[in-house]
Amino acid sequence: MPQRIPSAAAPPPLRVVHDSDGVDLAAAELAAGQFLEALGITTDSESLRGTPGRMTRAYAELFSPRPFDLTTFPNDEGYDELVLARSIPLRSVCEHHLLPFVGTAHIGYLPGQRILGLSKLARVLEHFACRPQVQERLTKQVADWLQTHLEPKGVGVVIQAEHTCMTLRGVQAVGATTMTSTLLGLLRTDPRSRGEFLALTALPR
């Protein structure tokens, strides 16, 4: 008969909230209008009159992740195989040009004493994506945060994204995507676990 693993004591729920102190939408709207006018775009027509406000609200939304509770449950059955959420939609903004990058993330972990509500993998991704970012940092932030707060035996994050700062301007490499990965714990050091994770997150041929 399988041995039942004693439940780990339930930690208090962790409320994850974005710090919105210092946000001034009125000042941002004024600055947006001045920015457009400095580029030779007048905003006195009916079509463009509301653009500075819409622009401000759009960026405020892109930079404001929704709050969430980090919900975990005891791993009573001692599940020790990979848990993987594939193709989580991703949107963020390149901190160098403030242009969007969009794609998908694959996030997995090897459970320790507790397991995570699956939707929280997407919530953690959103929390770090809703700010000016670079993809390399975003990938590591998600992995490090899960390793710290969930204490699993291993964490893996793979992100594939298209950066409009690369496809719409500059080199204009339309269709190019960027891949980044971070592997921690057994998903980095154990060849079998590492191979399984990378095989399951591989791009379709």
Side-chain angles (χ1 to χ4, degrees):
M1 178 179 295
Q3 182 179 4
R4 188 176 181 84
I5 306 299
S7 298
L14 175 65
R15 183 68 172 170
V16 183
V17 180
H18 170 67
D19 183 6
S20 60
D21 291 345
V23 175
D24 187 337
L25 294 179
E29 181 174 346
L30 177 63
Q34 294 172 340
F35 171 74
L36 292 171
E37 289 178 7
L39 291 176
I41 302 171
T42 59
T43 58
D44 52 4
S45 70
E46 181 178 353
S47 297
L48 288 170
R49 193 171 297 124
T51 296
R54 288 188 290 268
M55 180 177 167
T56 296
R57 292 189 295 275
Y59 273 100
E61 180 179 341
L62 288 172
F63 296 154
S64 300
R66 294 167 290 182
F68 70 96
D69 293 317
L70 186 69
T71 308
T72 65
F73 305 94
N75 186 13
D76 288 338
E77 304 304 322
Y79 183 82
D80 61 359
E81 295 293 335
L82 183 65
V83 178
L84 175 65
R86 284 176 48 104
S87 302
I88 304 171
L90 163 71
R91 69 173 191 189
S92 190
V93 176
C94 164
E95 69 178 26
H96 300 140
H97 302 92
L98 289 189
L99 290 172
F101 63 91
V102 296
T104 57
H106 311 302
I107 305 175
Y109 71 98
L110 289 170
Q113 291 188 313
R114 302 190 67 81
I115 56 176
L116 185 67
L118 289 177
S119 68
K120 307 311 177 186
L121 295 173
R123 293 289 196 184
V124 172
L125 175 67
E126 178 186 299
H127 177 74
F128 288 104
C130 286
R131 63 190 69 180
Q133 268 290 13
V134 295
Q135 185 174 326
E136 297 89 340
R137 182 196 305 131
L138 171 61
T139 308
K140 192 170 188 306
Q141 284 177 331
V142 172
D144 287 345
W145 198 93
L146 288 170
Q147 185 69 35
T148 298
H149 292 281
L150 186 58
E151 297 183 346
K153 296 176 181 177
V155 175
V157 179
V158 171
I159 292 177
Q160 177 189 12
E162 178 177 330
H163 293 249
T164 57
C165 61
M166 179 178 173
T167 61
L168 298 183
R169 57 159 299 282
V171 70
Q172 297 184 26
V174 177
T177 59
T178 298
M179 298 283 297
T180 50
S181 66
T182 295
L183 303 178
L184 302 176
L186 290 179
L187 289 183
R188 184 181 184 93
T189 61
D190 177 61
R192 186 193 72 83
S193 298
R194 179 187 179 95
E196 179 186 13
F197 176 80
L198 292 177
L200 290 174
T201 58
L203 295 176
R205 297 185 184 277

